Amino acid sequence: MSEGNSLWSAALFGQDTLRIQGAVEAGLLDTRDAMLDVHAVARSGKQYAAAGARMTNQFDRVAEHVLDLEIGGTRMVPVGTFYELVLVRNTLLYPFRIDTQKRSDPGEKWPRKITKIVAELFSAFGPQARWAEEALPGIGVEPPEPDLRRSLAELAELSPRPALVLIPYVMNLSGLHGAWWGQANLLDGAGHLDWASRFTALSVEQPGRPASVPHSRAAQPVFDSGELPHVMLATRSEPERNMIRKLDMPLKTEHEASESDTAKSDEH
């Protein structure tokens, strides 16, 4: 069901295909790192903090790496929620997690409830294949076309109309275990998808990154690192001791802390 970059992605991104794909992959790996770092700092067995970091970083980090390519016309599109989507080569990129367990492909079902923003994105920017003519068993009721929010309605008026590329991925607290990108149609309100034989696997290599552990600082010098120096202890010679006795000078030693000293120390 997968096709190579020379087909659907090259048709959308042209000579920038590999650069954009690399930026998407880097954004997902950065999302993984942010999730693991936050989970480690949270010091909790629960995954609320990690989930929040993943959910926001998936949009921000992908957009950041794509913007760094400095491809003409690239910009952020507000969609009236907590995130914005990056538009590159007249194509919206939409990353989302589909699972926490490893799998061989993105599947043919939206992983959760179809929200209004998701329905609008599919309705306005999906490839709109004529799926109804070959409806699958139990499928064939076209989802209602939602009213578009202003930012998406303005975008949909562009000519040519922007495309939508989905970026489904698999991630858990042990890392990024699968990712793809491609185009699909939303077949019905239950979330069935038709990829139209157009998705490609992305690289999810994660060299040397331990799960749930922030970046090690062991290699950095700290104030108490290294071995303690060997200090030679010097004692007074016998002639010096005799001279002190003749001068009737008391030997000075470190005095024990008095109650008044302790009180002063407690005040500061």
Side-chain angles (χ1 to χ4, degrees):
M1 191 157 55
S2 172
E3 293 191 4
N5 282 336
S6 60
L7 301 177
W8 73 266
S9 55
L12 290 176
F13 304 124
Q15 63 184 10
D16 294 315
T17 299
L18 293 180
R19 296 177 66 215
I20 295 173
Q21 178 176 334
V24 169
E25 293 167 347
L28 292 179
L29 290 172
D30 270 2
T31 299
R32 173 209 63 190
D33 289 351
M35 177 190 70
L36 296 181
D37 287 344
V38 168
H39 182 69
V41 172
R43 299 172 62 185
S44 172
K46 307 298 182 184
Q47 298 185 26
Y48 302 126
R54 180 196 58 75
M55 190 165 50
T56 53
N57 277 277
Q58 65 181 349
F59 300 105
D60 296 343
R61 302 288 74 79
V62 166
E64 177 182 50
H65 283 275
V66 171
L67 289 170
D68 284 346
L69 299 177
E70 298 184 344
I71 297 173
T74 304
R75 63 185 175 92
M76 299 301 297
V77 177
V79 293
T81 184
F82 68 89
Y83 57 84
E84 295 184 350
L85 298 179
V86 64
L87 180 76
V88 57
R89 293 295 299 262
N90 205 38
T91 301
L92 287 170
L93 302 181
Y94 191 88
F96 61 100
R97 187 173 72 172
I98 54 173
D99 208 339
T100 58
Q101 304 299 318
K102 293 182 181 180
R103 52 197 293 180
S104 59
D105 61 55
E108 298 178 349
K109 187 86 177 330
W110 189 257
R112 56 189 69 87
K113 179 182 177 182
I114 301 294
T115 61
K116 189 174 187 300
I117 177 62
V118 169
E120 290 178 42
L121 288 170
F122 275 111
S123 173
F125 310 110
Q128 304 295 326
R130 290 183 171 275
W131 57 268
E133 296 179 359
E134 300 179 9
L136 299 175
I139 303 176
V141 179
E142 188 173 1
E145 202 161 312
D147 294 331
L148 299 181
R149 62 201 67 201
R150 177 178 298 179
S151 60
L152 296 185
E154 293 175 353
L155 198 64
E157 292 176 356
L158 297 179
S159 182
R161 178 179 289 205
L164 173 68
V165 165
L166 306 176
I167 308 170
Y169 65 88
V170 175
M171 188 180 293
N172 57 31
L173 290 181
S174 62
L176 177 64
H177 301 293
W180 302 263
W181 69 340
Q183 292 183 284
N185 295 298
L186 179 64
L187 301 185
D188 58 13
H192 292 95
L193 299 176
D194 172 25
W195 287 96
S197 299
R198 290 188 292 183
F199 69 77
T200 306
L202 300 174
S203 173
V204 294
E205 294 181 4
Q206 34 194 335
R209 174 70 198 220
S212 302
V213 177
H215 296 292
S216 174
R217 301 180 62 182
Q220 300 179 8
V222 293
F223 78 96
D224 59 351
S225 62
E227 297 182 359
L228 293 175
H230 181 68
V231 179
M232 298 294 295
L233 298 178
T235 59
R236 295 182 187 276
S237 65
E238 189 60 30
E240 288 177 322
R241 286 179 172 275
N242 292 332
M243 179 65 69
I244 291 173
R245 292 191 186 98
K246 290 179 181 179
L247 296 175
D248 196 24
M249 295 173 59
L251 295 176
K252 292 186 178 181
T253 60
E254 185 177 348
H255 73 280
E256 295 184 6
S258 65
E259 291 185 6
S260 60
D261 291 333
T262 305
K264 290 180 181 179
S265 176
D266 291 342
E267 291 173 358
H268 299 285

